[in-house]
Amino acid sequence: MTVPRNAVRRSKRTLTAAVLALAVAAGTGGWAAGTAQTAVTGPAPGAAAWRADHSLGVALPDPASASPAEVARFFAGLTGAQQQALAARHPLTVGNLDGAPVALRYEANSRALRAERDRALARATDPAGTLQDHQQARRAAARYAALLAPGRRILAFDPRGRGQVAEVHGDLAAARRTAVIVPGSDIDLATFDRATDPYGTPTGMAASLRRRMAAEAPGVPTAVIAWVGYTTPVGLGPDAATGRLAEAGAPRLARFLAGLAATGTPAPAVLCHSYGSVVCGLAAPHTGRGDLTDLIVFGSPGMRRDTAADLRTPARVWAARDTSDWIGDVPNVEVLGLGHGADPTDPAFGARRVPAQRAKGHTGYLAPGTDSLRAIAAIVLGHPETVR
């Protein structure tokens, strides 16, 4: 009996989906290993008060609909005193408003962090709270206090959900070479930096990359931005295996990059780790020519694109994976919403290869002493021809 060709195709798709589901379940102890997250979208809290503010006699740019270029033009038409007044009245809006002056965003976010810290300290002693409430509030207050430490430059801060934050390492105003790091699962305000597995955190990655660039080109001003501007998956459950959170995060990343361009920041290289590469893959077609120079993915489960050309970006596309990274065991398929598609390190994908033989595991790509760190630093510094 001859089996119809379409029946064979359906059987292959079903088998592939089953293999994918079993691989994820086996690797994580089941779907319960990850909890479903609610994606944070839209403007930061306070947008309604911002829209209702007519103190300048003109409508303020809508945080939900004004482009970063429009925001930049609006602030360029204000006096310093007017800018300061807006930051004082609307710190969360100004601090997260892509296209607003960078230094003003730093100041606004300092105000917002102090306000959140004070609220957390009040909750920590509220007689109506439980012991657990008090403990959680004290941890939150300590986290906010850490971000307020002298020398830290917080470019974005949103307390909603698990918290989102972006921090600049270096002087963004003076930088000639820049990079943006987009992390993967389990990263939020609480895990933005940590003592354990430091090079698996955005802060550790950014600090390591910047040190390497300083060693390679000590006379070149550089800045690296650790960006946690989307809701990341927790664990390796359904959120990590689907594109739902990446679809919510991609427009936020595209807007952030447009905001950097609107304020005159040199186009960065964008580094995308693990699930962050899914976000980058979906954001890439929505970025402008001056928004980024290079797109570098490492430890990637796929980008939800079949080839580098499908990203529709003028940026150079790079990919790295070391042989000890468990992500290599994840099937590179996308079936029925599960999986993220082609392996970016496969030659057929068309990305340039970043060496990663000295990297260790899933989070070691930017650890000191690795060939991947050296190569990525060269790319960010504008020397892609040296990467072999």
PDB file of all heavy atoms in Angstrom, residues 5-21 333-338:
ATOM      1  N   ARG A   5       1.656  11.212   0.325  1.00  0.00           N
ATOM      2  CA  ARG A   5       2.772  12.059   0.723  1.00  0.00           C
ATOM      3  C   ARG A   5       2.394  13.028   1.835  1.00  0.00           C
ATOM      4  O   ARG A   5       3.163  13.277   2.765  1.00  0.00           O
ATOM      5  CB  ARG A   5       3.279  12.834  -0.492  1.00  0.00           C
ATOM      6  CG  ARG A   5       4.547  13.623  -0.226  1.00  0.00           C
ATOM      7  CD  ARG A   5       5.095  14.202  -1.509  1.00  0.00           C
ATOM      8  NE  ARG A   5       5.422  13.140  -2.462  1.00  0.00           N
ATOM      9  CZ  ARG A   5       5.843  13.386  -3.707  1.00  0.00           C
ATOM     10  NH1 ARG A   5       5.971  14.621  -4.138  1.00  0.00           N
ATOM     11  NH2 ARG A   5       6.114  12.376  -4.525  1.00  0.00           N
ATOM     12  N   ASN A   6       1.175  13.611   1.792  1.00  0.00           N
ATOM     13  CA  ASN A   6       0.785  14.570   2.828  1.00  0.00           C
ATOM     14  C   ASN A   6       0.638  13.880   4.180  1.00  0.00           C
ATOM     15  O   ASN A   6       0.874  14.471   5.224  1.00  0.00           O
ATOM     16  CB  ASN A   6      -0.506  15.302   2.446  1.00  0.00           C
ATOM     17  CG  ASN A   6      -1.671  14.350   2.247  1.00  0.00           C
ATOM     18  OD1 ASN A   6      -1.483  13.136   2.199  1.00  0.00           O
ATOM     19  ND2 ASN A   6      -2.862  14.907   2.107  1.00  0.00           N
ATOM     20  N   ALA A   7       0.247  12.582   4.165  1.00  0.00           N
ATOM     21  CA  ALA A   7       0.160  11.845   5.427  1.00  0.00           C
ATOM     22  C   ALA A   7       1.538  11.653   6.039  1.00  0.00           C
ATOM     23  O   ALA A   7       1.722  11.720   7.263  1.00  0.00           O
ATOM     24  CB  ALA A   7      -0.516  10.498   5.200  1.00  0.00           C
ATOM     25  N   VAL A   8       2.539  11.407   5.185  1.00  0.00           N
ATOM     26  CA  VAL A   8       3.913  11.279   5.673  1.00  0.00           C
ATOM     27  C   VAL A   8       4.380  12.577   6.313  1.00  0.00           C
ATOM     28  O   VAL A   8       4.991  12.599   7.386  1.00  0.00           O
ATOM     29  CB  VAL A   8       4.853  10.875   4.518  1.00  0.00           C
ATOM     30  CG1 VAL A   8       6.306  10.905   4.978  1.00  0.00           C
ATOM     31  CG2 VAL A   8       4.483   9.494   4.001  1.00  0.00           C
ATOM     32  N   ARG A   9       4.065  13.686   5.646  1.00  0.00           N
ATOM     33  CA  ARG A   9       4.474  14.990   6.185  1.00  0.00           C
ATOM     34  C   ARG A   9       3.820  15.238   7.536  1.00  0.00           C
ATOM     35  O   ARG A   9       4.444  15.731   8.463  1.00  0.00           O
ATOM     36  CB  ARG A   9       4.132  16.111   5.199  1.00  0.00           C
ATOM     37  CG  ARG A   9       5.068  16.170   3.995  1.00  0.00           C
ATOM     38  CD  ARG A   9       4.953  17.537   3.310  1.00  0.00           C
ATOM     39  NE  ARG A   9       3.633  17.715   2.740  1.00  0.00           N
ATOM     40  CZ  ARG A   9       3.320  17.457   1.479  1.00  0.00           C
ATOM     41  NH1 ARG A   9       4.226  16.967   0.670  1.00  0.00           N
ATOM     42  NH2 ARG A   9       2.100  17.664   1.024  1.00  0.00           N
ATOM     43  N   ARG A  10       2.518  14.907   7.630  1.00  0.00           N
ATOM     44  CA  ARG A  10       1.839  15.116   8.905  1.00  0.00           C
ATOM     45  C   ARG A  10       2.453  14.259  10.002  1.00  0.00           C
ATOM     46  O   ARG A  10       2.634  14.707  11.134  1.00  0.00           O
ATOM     47  CB  ARG A  10       0.353  14.789   8.754  1.00  0.00           C
ATOM     48  CG  ARG A  10      -0.466  15.863   8.081  1.00  0.00           C
ATOM     49  CD  ARG A  10      -1.954  15.663   8.361  1.00  0.00           C
ATOM     50  NE  ARG A  10      -2.420  14.349   7.911  1.00  0.00           N
ATOM     51  CZ  ARG A  10      -2.874  14.110   6.675  1.00  0.00           C
ATOM     52  NH1 ARG A  10      -2.899  15.088   5.788  1.00  0.00           N
ATOM     53  NH2 ARG A  10      -3.298  12.897   6.342  1.00  0.00           N
ATOM     54  N   SER A  11       2.818  13.039   9.662  1.00  0.00           N
ATOM     55  CA  SER A  11       3.422  12.154  10.657  1.00  0.00           C
ATOM     56  C   SER A  11       4.764  12.699  11.118  1.00  0.00           C
ATOM     57  O   SER A  11       5.096  12.649  12.307  1.00  0.00           O
ATOM     58  CB  SER A  11       3.610  10.751  10.052  1.00  0.00           C
ATOM     59  OG  SER A  11       2.368  10.176   9.729  1.00  0.00           O
ATOM     60  N   LYS A  12       5.544  13.232  10.165  1.00  0.00           N
ATOM     61  CA  LYS A  12       6.844  13.811  10.532  1.00  0.00           C
ATOM     62  C   LYS A  12       6.670  15.008  11.461  1.00  0.00           C
ATOM     63  O   LYS A  12       7.400  15.177  12.439  1.00  0.00           O
ATOM     64  CB  LYS A  12       7.617  14.226   9.280  1.00  0.00           C
ATOM     65  CG  LYS A  12       8.180  13.048   8.493  1.00  0.00           C
ATOM     66  CD  LYS A  12       8.985  13.556   7.301  1.00  0.00           C
ATOM     67  CE  LYS A  12       9.604  12.395   6.537  1.00  0.00           C
ATOM     68  NZ  LYS A  12      10.369  12.864   5.348  1.00  0.00           N
ATOM     69  N   ARG A  13       5.678  15.860  11.156  1.00  0.00           N
ATOM     70  CA  ARG A  13       5.448  17.024  12.011  1.00  0.00           C
ATOM     71  C   ARG A  13       5.032  16.587  13.406  1.00  0.00           C
ATOM     72  O   ARG A  13       5.494  17.133  14.406  1.00  0.00           O
ATOM     73  CB  ARG A  13       4.385  17.933  11.391  1.00  0.00           C
ATOM     74  CG  ARG A  13       4.852  18.727  10.193  1.00  0.00           C
ATOM     75  CD  ARG A  13       3.914  19.900   9.932  1.00  0.00           C
ATOM     76  NE  ARG A  13       2.563  19.431   9.649  1.00  0.00           N
ATOM     77  CZ  ARG A  13       2.091  19.214   8.411  1.00  0.00           C
ATOM     78  NH1 ARG A  13       2.889  19.398   7.376  1.00  0.00           N
ATOM     79  NH2 ARG A  13       0.854  18.807   8.221  1.00  0.00           N
ATOM     80  N   THR A  14       4.149  15.595  13.482  1.00  0.00           N
ATOM     81  CA  THR A  14       3.692  15.114  14.781  1.00  0.00           C
ATOM     82  C   THR A  14       4.841  14.523  15.582  1.00  0.00           C
ATOM     83  O   THR A  14       4.990  14.782  16.774  1.00  0.00           O
ATOM     84  CB  THR A  14       2.578  14.063  14.597  1.00  0.00           C
ATOM     85  OG1 THR A  14       1.516  14.643  13.861  1.00  0.00           O
ATOM     86  CG2 THR A  14       2.061  13.584  15.943  1.00  0.00           C
ATOM     87  N   LEU A  15       5.681  13.736  14.898  1.00  0.00           N
ATOM     88  CA  LEU A  15       6.821  13.130  15.577  1.00  0.00           C
ATOM     89  C   LEU A  15       7.799  14.186  16.068  1.00  0.00           C
ATOM     90  O   LEU A  15       8.304  14.120  17.198  1.00  0.00           O
ATOM     91  CB  LEU A  15       7.531  12.168  14.617  1.00  0.00           C
ATOM     92  CG  LEU A  15       8.798  11.480  15.157  1.00  0.00           C
ATOM     93  CD1 LEU A  15       8.451  10.648  16.391  1.00  0.00           C
ATOM     94  CD2 LEU A  15       9.427  10.612  14.080  1.00  0.00           C
ATOM     95  N   THR A  16       8.060  15.174  15.229  1.00  0.00           N
ATOM     96  CA  THR A  16       8.987  16.237  15.622  1.00  0.00           C
ATOM     97  C   THR A  16       8.470  16.994  16.841  1.00  0.00           C
ATOM     98  O   THR A  16       9.223  17.285  17.770  1.00  0.00           O
ATOM     99  CB  THR A  16       9.202  17.221  14.456  1.00  0.00           C
ATOM    100  OG1 THR A  16       9.683  16.496  13.341  1.00  0.00           O
ATOM    101  CG2 THR A  16      10.209  18.292  14.830  1.00  0.00           C
ATOM    102  N   ALA A  17       7.177  17.331  16.832  1.00  0.00           N
ATOM    103  CA  ALA A  17       6.603  18.034  17.975  1.00  0.00           C
ATOM    104  C   ALA A  17       6.694  17.190  19.237  1.00  0.00           C
ATOM    105  O   ALA A  17       6.991  17.700  20.323  1.00  0.00           O
ATOM    106  CB  ALA A  17       5.141  18.384  17.688  1.00  0.00           C
ATOM    107  N   ALA A  18       6.461  15.893  19.093  1.00  0.00           N
ATOM    108  CA  ALA A  18       6.542  15.010  20.257  1.00  0.00           C
ATOM    109  C   ALA A  18       7.963  14.945  20.791  1.00  0.00           C
ATOM    110  O   ALA A  18       8.196  14.969  22.003  1.00  0.00           O
ATOM    111  CB  ALA A  18       6.049  13.618  19.876  1.00  0.00           C
ATOM    112  N   VAL A  19       8.941  14.847  19.876  1.00  0.00           N
ATOM    113  CA  VAL A  19      10.341  14.812  20.297  1.00  0.00           C
ATOM    114  C   VAL A  19      10.710  16.091  21.044  1.00  0.00           C
ATOM    115  O   VAL A  19      11.378  16.068  22.078  1.00  0.00           O
ATOM    116  CB  VAL A  19      11.259  14.615  19.065  1.00  0.00           C
ATOM    117  CG1 VAL A  19      12.719  14.858  19.439  1.00  0.00           C
ATOM    118  CG2 VAL A  19      11.081  13.211  18.510  1.00  0.00           C
ATOM    119  N   LEU A  20      10.271  17.223  20.513  1.00  0.00           N
ATOM    120  CA  LEU A  20      10.563  18.497  21.148  1.00  0.00           C
ATOM    121  C   LEU A  20       9.971  18.555  22.552  1.00  0.00           C
ATOM    122  O   LEU A  20      10.642  18.919  23.516  1.00  0.00           O
ATOM    123  CB  LEU A  20      10.019  19.652  20.308  1.00  0.00           C
ATOM    124  CG  LEU A  20      10.175  21.049  20.930  1.00  0.00           C
ATOM    125  CD1 LEU A  20      11.652  21.388  21.072  1.00  0.00           C
ATOM    126  CD2 LEU A  20       9.460  22.076  20.083  1.00  0.00           C
ATOM    127  N   ALA A  21       8.699  18.207  22.668  1.00  0.00           N
ATOM    128  CA  ALA A  21       8.049  18.251  23.975  1.00  0.00           C
ATOM    129  C   ALA A  21       8.735  17.327  24.961  1.00  0.00           C
ATOM    130  O   ALA A  21       8.960  17.680  26.125  1.00  0.00           O
ATOM    131  CB  ALA A  21       6.576  17.872  23.831  1.00  0.00           C
ATOM    132  N   VAL A 333      13.667  22.996  15.851  1.00  0.00           N
ATOM    133  CA  VAL A 333      12.457  22.949  15.051  1.00  0.00           C
ATOM    134  C   VAL A 333      11.479  23.982  15.594  1.00  0.00           C
ATOM    135  O   VAL A 333      11.661  24.520  16.681  1.00  0.00           O
ATOM    136  CB  VAL A 333      11.794  21.554  15.097  1.00  0.00           C
ATOM    137  CG1 VAL A 333      12.711  20.513  14.474  1.00  0.00           C
ATOM    138  CG2 VAL A 333      11.449  21.158  16.531  1.00  0.00           C
ATOM    139  N   GLU A 334      10.478  24.273  14.815  1.00  0.00           N
ATOM    140  CA  GLU A 334       9.369  25.115  15.260  1.00  0.00           C
ATOM    141  C   GLU A 334       8.092  24.481  14.728  1.00  0.00           C
ATOM    142  O   GLU A 334       7.796  24.555  13.534  1.00  0.00           O
ATOM    143  CB  GLU A 334       9.522  26.546  14.749  1.00  0.00           C
ATOM    144  CG  GLU A 334       8.431  27.482  15.275  1.00  0.00           C
ATOM    145  CD  GLU A 334       8.541  28.885  14.709  1.00  0.00           C
ATOM    146  OE1 GLU A 334       9.576  29.194  14.074  1.00  0.00           O
ATOM    147  OE2 GLU A 334       7.585  29.655  14.888  1.00  0.00           O
ATOM    148  N   VAL A 335       7.352  23.827  15.611  1.00  0.00           N
ATOM    149  CA  VAL A 335       6.160  23.091  15.213  1.00  0.00           C
ATOM    150  C   VAL A 335       5.045  23.378  16.213  1.00  0.00           C
ATOM    151  O   VAL A 335       5.246  23.260  17.428  1.00  0.00           O
ATOM    152  CB  VAL A 335       6.438  21.571  15.169  1.00  0.00           C
ATOM    153  CG1 VAL A 335       5.166  20.810  14.786  1.00  0.00           C
ATOM    154  CG2 VAL A 335       7.558  21.255  14.187  1.00  0.00           C
ATOM    155  N   LEU A 336       3.902  23.772  15.696  1.00  0.00           N
ATOM    156  CA  LEU A 336       2.733  24.019  16.540  1.00  0.00           C
ATOM    157  C   LEU A 336       3.047  24.999  17.666  1.00  0.00           C
ATOM    158  O   LEU A 336       2.548  24.860  18.785  1.00  0.00           O
ATOM    159  CB  LEU A 336       2.214  22.685  17.116  1.00  0.00           C
ATOM    160  CG  LEU A 336       1.842  21.605  16.085  1.00  0.00           C
ATOM    161  CD1 LEU A 336       1.423  20.332  16.785  1.00  0.00           C
ATOM    162  CD2 LEU A 336       0.752  22.108  15.155  1.00  0.00           C
ATOM    163  N   GLY A 337       3.886  25.963  17.363  1.00  0.00           N
ATOM    164  CA  GLY A 337       4.222  26.987  18.346  1.00  0.00           C
ATOM    165  C   GLY A 337       5.351  26.613  19.272  1.00  0.00           C
ATOM    166  O   GLY A 337       5.817  27.453  20.053  1.00  0.00           O
ATOM    167  N   LEU A 338       5.816  25.367  19.235  1.00  0.00           N
ATOM    168  CA  LEU A 338       6.905  24.916  20.098  1.00  0.00           C
ATOM    169  C   LEU A 338       8.227  24.968  19.349  1.00  0.00           C
ATOM    170  O   LEU A 338       8.323  24.577  18.185  1.00  0.00           O
ATOM    171  CB  LEU A 338       6.658  23.488  20.569  1.00  0.00           C
ATOM    172  CG  LEU A 338       5.522  23.270  21.574  1.00  0.00           C
ATOM    173  CD1 LEU A 338       5.306  21.784  21.788  1.00  0.00           C
ATOM    174  CD2 LEU A 338       5.835  23.964  22.881  1.00  0.00           C
TER     175      LEU A 338
END
